[in-house]
Amino acid sequence: GPSSSVSGGGTNKAEGDWSSVSGGSVNKAFGSLSAMSGGGFSIAKEQCSFVSGGYENIAEARASSVSGGWGNRAEGDGSSVLGGCENTALGYLSMVPSTKLKHKEVSTTHRCQW
């Protein structure tokens, strides 16, 4: 996309407007303002989504993020998974925190304090 960038790594794609992929291999940043930083076979799908390393991680929703690990999915808008293996943050603003990084943890809980 316009103003997108790919630096280092192999077969990475930055397809969203102002998206970026830095390093890693077979990573894709589809959403506008999305970013991928290292890792492999991971996808930052939606607007402002971010994946930081790991393998086969997907940030599927707007402003969602996955920080490393393997096979994690951030599916709710504003959701985040802080690593681990095959964890899913399903709900809006839900989170799988570092204190709950068991295998296949699923979070649907709203974690923000207003």
Side-chain angles (χ1 to χ4, degrees):
S3 300
S4 61
S5 67
V6 175
S7 59
T11 61
N12 294 314
K13 293 182 180 179
E15 296 186 359
D17 296 350
W18 305 287
S19 63
S20 68
V21 177
S22 60
S25 180
V26 201
N27 292 312
K28 296 174 184 161
F30 287 122
S32 61
L33 299 170
S34 63
M36 273 291 326
S37 175
F41 296 91
S42 294
I43 300 170
K45 248 185 190 178
E46 287 295 333
Q47 183 178 18
C48 298
S49 60
F50 179 67
V51 177
S52 171
Y55 182 75
E56 290 186 347
N57 291 315
I58 302 176
E60 297 208 32
R62 291 175 299 165
S64 62
S65 66
V66 178
S67 302
W70 170 74
N72 295 307
R73 291 176 169 263
E75 296 184 358
D77 286 353
S79 65
S80 61
V81 178
L82 303 179
C85 177
E86 293 185 341
N87 295 308
T88 305
L90 282 174
Y92 170 70
L93 295 177
S94 64
M95 179 182 195
V96 178
S98 57
T99 55
K100 295 185 83 175
L101 292 182
K102 301 179 212 160
H103 185 60
K104 297 192 176 179
E105 180 75 24
V106 176
S107 172
T108 57
T109 309
H110 189 294
R111 300 282 180 185
C112 288
Q113 301 295 319
W114 300 107

